[in-house]
Structures are given as C-alpha cells and as structure tokens.
Amino acid sequence: MSAATVYLDNHDGQEGYFSMPMGGVHVLHCFRRVMANHRVYKPSLCIVLRGAKQIVFGGDMLAYGPMQCLIVSMDMPACGQIVEASPDESFVGITIDLDPAVMHEVIEQMDAPPVAPADAGPALFVESVDAPLAECLLRLFRLADQPQAAPVLHPSIMREIYYWLLSGPHGGELRRQVQPDTHNDRIVKAISLLRANYTQRVRVEQLADVARMSPSSFHQHFKAMTSMTPLQFQKQLRLLEARRLMVAEAAGVADAAYQVGYESASQFSREYSRMFGASPKRSAMELRATMA
C-alpha cells in the first residue's frame, strides 16, 4: 500500500484514473462513493487496495474490499460501483488488463496446471490477494518510477501474475476460460458474433450453431457463464452503445434507439430507464456533467 501512496503522491494525491507507464495498468483514486458505472468489462484483474467495490452482472452481485480482487475472464456487460470511499479514507484500486493468449502459454509451461471444473461456471469471481501476488503489485508500482525499464520488465511480471492466479483458488475456472475448444471457448466465440451484430435480431439457434451446441445446452452454458440470457446480454450491449452515442456524439434519444436496433423509441426509453435508473435524456445529461 505504501508504494501505491507514493505513486499517488506523485500525482499530487488527486482523484482520477491514472495510466501507468506499462500498458494496460491503471490506478483509480477516489474520495467519495461513485454512482454505478455500467460498461463492458474486458478480461482484467481489478484489485482493491483501500475501500470497497461491488459489481453486478446479470442477476448476481460480487463485493470485494481491501486486498481482494475481481477477476474478469471474458468480455462482460456489468455495473461496477465504489461503495466505500471518503476524504479521510480514500478508495485506491489498480486494474490490470489480462491477455488470455499469454495466460494459456503460462498454463502450457506449468508442471501441474490447474484442473478445469467439469460444470459450467461464472466468468467473474472474487478472491483474496495472497503474498506472491501482492509482491508482483509492489514491483509494478516500483516499475512506474522507471518508465524506461517498463517495456522490458513488465511482460515478465505479468507472466508471474498469471502463474499465481492460475495457482490460486480459481485457477481451474481460469484455465477453463482460456483453454481452446471447450464449451466456454465456444460460448466466447458466440458472444463475439453477438457483439458484432448486436443491432440485429440474432436467433439463439444461430449462436448455438457457432458454439456447436444444441440450443438448450447453449442457453444453459451461456447463463452459467454470464448470469444472463443471450437476449439480456444483447439488450445491455445495445443500451450501453446508445448511452455512448447520446453522451459522446450528442445523438437524440430516438436516433440513438434506432441506431442500436430498437424499432420503438418508447420501448427503448423504458428499458433504458430500467437499466440506468433515469430517462435517456436525463442520464446522458448527468453523465456529461460528471465527465466534465
């Protein structure tokens, strides 16, 4: 934690989301609870050093506090929120992008790789940060003060991080997510198709064909991984993109709705309000103000 404090002091102790010299590593510092943030999470390791967060995906919620981490093993629409932060005890977290291909290489080099569970399970999970992983984080913070060394040393630290994650309590689940031609791998391929065609009407049978499963088996595995049905997953992708269009490109409500595939602006407004807790127009205005 002292290394993180030194890093933040170098940024004058300000709030913000800071990029470290090594690619794909960010530090988040906040003095207050932050409103829920809906977005598509990429494969990543999200570690809380101080404070607490929670994430909601589908019908599930995970909470994690100091020296705990959230592991996201695939692209996933979810809603994260800082739930413990104050001027006296600010929130500090670090987010590290994960590369499934490199993780698979590490698995291939392990003498005793983790055993993947037979049953399908969620693609997000929380675990404690043990001593070896904490040591890797300390070296990342130290590396931030030596940007010329980051390109050389960062990859080896990342491989070590993968090793300790794979050796941890959820190593088997991680292996299942990155192993080629498993049920999970085929679900991820179907999700890629869904993401590429989220504005169109995509039938479950099409997705099941891509995953080389029966529709019933596909539906079961999809929901086990994401805690959502394919339709709910697509709906969240549409609403997130519509919000981006309204905030970043100043699109009108009806225009954003039609661009992401809705045929009815009123249905879009109902579903948007249900997800974000405010009407599309109000939500976009509040987000613009927050970003400003």
Side-chain angles (χ1 to χ4, degrees):
M1 189 61 218
S2 59
T5 302
V6 170
Y7 177 83
L8 292 170
D9 286 343
N10 291 338
H11 286 81
D12 300 322
Q14 295 181 355
E15 284 187 303
Y17 188 62
F18 305 108
S19 297
M20 298 179 81
M22 58 290 291
V25 183
H26 299 84
V27 175
L28 176 60
H29 188 216
C30 192
F31 292 107
R32 64 198 187 284
R33 293 180 59 172
V34 176
M35 68 178 187
N37 179 26
H38 294 262
R39 65 184 177 91
V40 177
Y41 282 72
K42 296 184 178 298
S44 54
L45 175 65
C46 309
I47 302 163
V48 171
L49 302 177
R50 188 168 63 205
K53 288 189 75 175
Q54 69 180 29
I55 187 167
V56 176
F57 60 105
D60 294 335
M61 189 273 283
L62 294 174
Y64 53 115
M67 298 312 290
Q68 290 185 307
C69 62
L70 170 76
I71 303 171
V72 183
S73 62
M74 57 172 277
D75 290 356
M76 174 78 72
C79 177
Q81 184 173 15
I82 295 173
V83 294
E84 286 186 18
S86 70
D88 296 327
E89 191 75 5
S90 60
F91 175 89
V92 181
I94 180 171
T95 299
I96 303 171
D97 293 345
L98 299 179
D99 187 334
V102 178
M103 189 178 294
H104 180 62
E105 290 177 7
V106 173
I107 291 172
E108 294 293 304
Q109 294 176 0
M110 296 176 73
D111 289 334
V115 178
D119 298 331
L124 289 79
F125 25 86
V126 167
E127 64 181 55
S128 297
V129 176
D130 58 14
L133 186 55
E135 175 62 28
C136 292
L137 298 179
L138 177 61
R139 282 188 278 126
L140 279 180
F141 277 109
R142 288 173 175 165
L143 198 58
D145 293 328
Q146 300 174 315
Q148 73 283 356
V152 179
L153 300 180
H154 176 229
S156 61
I157 297 176
M158 285 304 305
R159 294 180 76 88
E160 188 175 346
I161 287 174
Y162 294 145
Y163 178 87
W164 295 122
L165 290 177
L166 289 163
S167 301
H170 293 99
E173 285 92 338
L174 276 173
R175 180 179 184 180
R176 179 174 57 194
Q177 299 292 350
V178 302
Q179 198 78 1
D181 204 32
T182 60
H183 280 136
N184 286 40
D185 180 57
R186 297 201 293 271
I187 292 287
V188 169
K189 287 183 170 62
I191 286 175
S192 295
L193 175 68
L194 186 59
R195 291 198 66 184
N197 299 278
Y198 69 93
T199 64
Q200 304 172 21
R201 188 183 298 275
V202 180
R203 295 167 50 246
V204 172
E205 288 78 8
Q206 292 174 265
L207 298 171
D209 284 344
V210 171
R212 306 201 308 274
M213 299 179 188
S214 68
S216 59
S217 178
F218 173 79
H219 193 279
Q220 176 187 348
H221 281 84
F222 190 100
K223 191 159 188 181
M225 286 176 63
T226 67
S227 191
M228 287 175 266
T229 66
L231 181 60
Q232 291 169 333
F233 194 101
Q234 182 186 41
K235 183 187 298 183
Q236 292 205 18
L237 294 179
R238 286 179 169 182
L239 294 173
L240 285 167
E241 174 60 12
R243 186 183 65 168
R244 188 197 68 80
L245 290 169
M246 290 186 294
V247 173
E249 301 183 17
V253 173
D255 185 39
Y258 297 137
Q259 283 195 56
V260 300
Y262 277 87
E263 298 177 359
S264 165
S266 59
Q267 180 187 359
F268 164 75
S269 294
R270 286 194 303 273
E271 295 184 352
Y272 188 102
S273 299
R274 193 176 301 124
M275 177 168 169
F276 294 109
S279 68
K281 185 175 181 179
R282 177 184 167 193
S283 171
M285 290 175 59
E286 289 178 346
L287 190 54
R288 283 195 210 103
T290 301
M291 293 172 66

